[in-house]
Amino acid sequence: MRLSWDRYFLEIAKAVSLRASCPRASSGCVLVDNNTKRILATGYNGAPAGESNCLEVGCNVRETNGKHCKRTIHGEANTIYYADKYNVDYKNTTLYEYFEAHNEQTRGNYYPDSSMTQNLSDFPCEPCQILLFERMVSKVICSYGNGVIVTYII
């Protein structure tokens, strides 16, 4: 059976997440032009290029709306930063994301119970929402490690 476009890009996002360097969660993102169905950029969560990552030297966790590692850049942000380097036109784009938590606490904080379409609220995080909003990305389609797929309208 041939995959739908959404499923195709979500599977690519899942493969991208395998590059993540966070032992607590993996995120892989694919930015796609909705008209041409072309991939414009990819990104995953991890340390900035050239810096030591959590798998090498451990996490540097701090308390801010839950626990966040100061060493890690989110997959959404890495994708936007990469696209910005190449002057990507964000009009009519979708960010596809795969997110998998590697421990029970992270799962409980981030996994929705059922598939749905909703406005951005808790996911992605506020700084990533701002990046996506400022660049006029039209929506985020996220596949979670528990099998739930949620479409977030920006």
Side-chain angles (χ1 to χ4, degrees):
M1 180 173 90
R2 188 173 188 192
L3 295 175
S4 69
W5 283 111
D6 286 346
R7 177 55 67 187
Y8 173 71
F9 292 122
L10 287 170
E11 291 296 327
I12 293 171
K14 185 175 182 179
V16 170
S17 77
L18 297 174
R19 290 283 307 151
S21 59
C22 175
R24 298 167 352 111
S26 297
S27 168
C29 297
V30 179
L31 182 68
V32 175
D33 182 302
N34 292 334
N35 295 323
T36 64
K37 303 296 185 203
R38 299 288 178 209
I39 295 173
L40 304 173
T42 64
Y44 52 88
N45 61 317
E51 298 293 323
S52 298
N53 66 57
C54 298
L55 297 177
E56 297 168 339
V57 296
C59 294
N60 184 1
V61 177
R62 64 186 161 109
E63 290 286 334
T64 308
N65 297 333
K67 294 186 176 192
H68 291 281
C69 180
K70 293 196 306 191
R71 198 177 318 283
T72 299
I73 297 173
H74 290 180
E76 304 93 338
N78 262 335
T79 304
I80 295 299
Y81 298 151
Y82 181 83
D84 283 351
K85 278 176 63 174
Y86 296 96
N87 298 313
V88 164
D89 180 1
Y90 291 94
K91 286 183 193 165
N92 202 20
T93 58
T94 296
L95 184 80
Y96 291 87
E97 180 167 9
Y98 177 79
F99 179 85
E100 183 169 5
H102 300 304
N103 62 54
E104 289 301 319
Q105 179 185 4
T106 309
R107 280 187 199 101
N109 290 340
Y110 292 106
Y111 280 9
D113 294 332
S114 62
S115 296
M116 63 186 107
T117 299
Q118 64 182 44
N119 292 323
L120 288 177
S121 55
D122 296 329
F123 192 87
C125 70
E126 187 174 347
C128 289
Q129 287 180 30
I130 292 168
L131 285 173
L132 297 166
F133 180 78
E134 286 176 341
R135 283 155 182 88
M136 300 178 1
V137 174
S138 59
K139 63 185 169 182
V140 176
I141 299 177
C142 186
S143 175
Y144 292 87
N146 64 352
V148 172
I149 298 173
V150 177
T151 300
Y152 298 95
I153 306 300
I154 298 178

